[in-house]
Amino acid sequence: MKIAIIGTGNVGGALATAWSKAGHQILLGVRDTANFKGDGLLENANTSVHSIEEAVKMAEVILVATPPQFAESLALAFGDVSGKVIIDSTNAVRTKPENYPTAYHAFKAMTKAEVVKCFNSTGFENMQNPVYHGEKIDMFMAGDDAEAKEIAQQLAFDAGFGTCWDFGKADKVVLLEQFALSWINLAIMQGHGRDIAFRVVRR
Ligand SMILES: NC(=O)c1ccc[n+]([C@@H]2O[C@H](COP(=O)([O-])OP(=O)(O)OC[C@H]3O[C@@H](n4cnc5c(N)ncnc54)[C@H](OP(=O)(O)O)[C@@H]3O)[C@@H](O)[C@H]2O)c1
């Protein structure tokens, strides 16, 4: 797949690397192609850098991994993204879009893309390496668009996650962000460290 990475920091960088290794074409979409966080990603296979508009235009899938308050300006910058999938990995826990509760809601309202919330619920280190003691950890997603969920699930597998649990439709997007906050609470506020992860077990 051709995947635009908008936000090439911790999360965008981890997933760009994983998906490049899985054989996807990675289009880094940045504000300044001469100076951006994650320029080392250009050493990965199948990876190139572009303006945000250019990367989005060439891509089938758009990962958004910026702070959430930029969702509205990004939606405007993206232009016509009908027929494309937007994966929103942001968490509106400290800052949020001006007019929407989450970036997911902004992209749904402001674009014609298929949108899914995914890759938001664990630390970026777990996206770099989702394997603990030989067991794959889980990813989670939420949103209204079935096709976007199928693609997010495939990309979760391609990044090495075990299962990608469907939290439900758009009414569960805020819950999925709260789930991310639960990981942040345990890892950071309660001091257990970032090398912890969620995995669903079944009897
Ligand atoms: N860190 C985690 O473990 C983690 C886990 C799950 C979800 N998240 C969520 O993922 C998102 C990114 O977190 P991160 O830790 O990866 O952040 P980060 O390392 O600080 O990277 C942020 C990226 O966003 C870009 N950016 C900032 N403002 C932008 C704008 N207006 N337009 C386009 N690009 C812009 C930055 O580009 P420049 O180089 O141009 O500044 C940078 O590449 C956040 O919403 C966070 O809540 C984080």
Side-chain angles (χ1 to χ4, degrees):
M1 271 181 268
K2 292 180 187 162
I3 307 173
I5 308 282
I6 311 302
T8 53
N10 297 319
V11 170
L15 293 174
T17 299
W19 292 336
S20 143
K21 283 183 189 153
H24 295 292
Q25 188 179 336
I26 305 301
L27 308 155
L28 307 176
V30 302
R31 293 181 286 186
D32 179 356
T33 55
N35 179 25
F36 62 98
K37 187 171 181 183
D39 54 358
L41 297 170
L42 289 171
E43 286 170 26
N44 290 343
N46 319 314
T47 302
S48 51
V49 67
H50 310 270
S51 69
I52 291 173
E53 292 78 2
E54 226 174 54
V56 162
K57 201 170 179 185
M58 289 189 282
E60 298 151 296
V61 176
I62 302 155
L63 173 80
V64 177
T66 67
Q69 66 270 28
F70 302 118
E72 287 142 312
S73 58
L74 285 173
L76 293 174
F78 287 172
D80 180 9
V81 283
S82 47
K84 300 180 193 277
V85 165
I86 295 178
I87 301 177
D88 167 27
S89 72
T90 72
N91 282 314
V93 293
R94 288 190 196 90
T95 55
K96 62 187 217 57
E98 199 178 335
N99 299 302
Y100 299 95
T102 74
Y104 171 93
H105 293 86
F107 292 126
K108 275 298 280 183
M110 296 179 67
T111 75
K112 291 191 174 136
E114 300 257 307
V115 187
V116 60
K117 167 81 66 186
C118 193
F119 302 104
N120 69 305
S121 57
T122 197
F124 72 91
E125 300 89 340
N126 288 330
M127 302 184 207
Q128 289 172 333
N129 179 10
V131 178
Y132 279 64
H133 308 294
E135 301 274 0
K136 294 176 176 182
I137 60 170
D138 289 338
M139 185 39 71
F140 303 84
M141 62 183 170
D144 279 344
D145 298 326
E147 190 201 326
K149 281 180 166 174
E150 262 176 47
I151 285 174
Q153 183 181 47
Q154 183 57 55
L155 289 173
F157 293 151
D158 290 349
F161 288 90
T163 304
C164 189
W165 293 88
D166 188 350
F167 249 54
K169 296 204 168 190
D171 62 321
K172 296 296 191 296
V173 164
V174 169
L175 182 65
L176 188 49
E177 291 203 351
Q178 290 297 314
F179 189 54
L181 190 54
S182 303
W183 183 89
I184 294 167
N185 175 51
L186 282 174
I188 298 162
M189 297 164 201
Q190 305 307 317
H192 294 289
R194 298 178 65 93
D195 279 332
I196 58 169
F198 293 136
R199 181 157 178 265
V200 176
V201 291
R202 198 196 290 272
R203 192 178 299 284

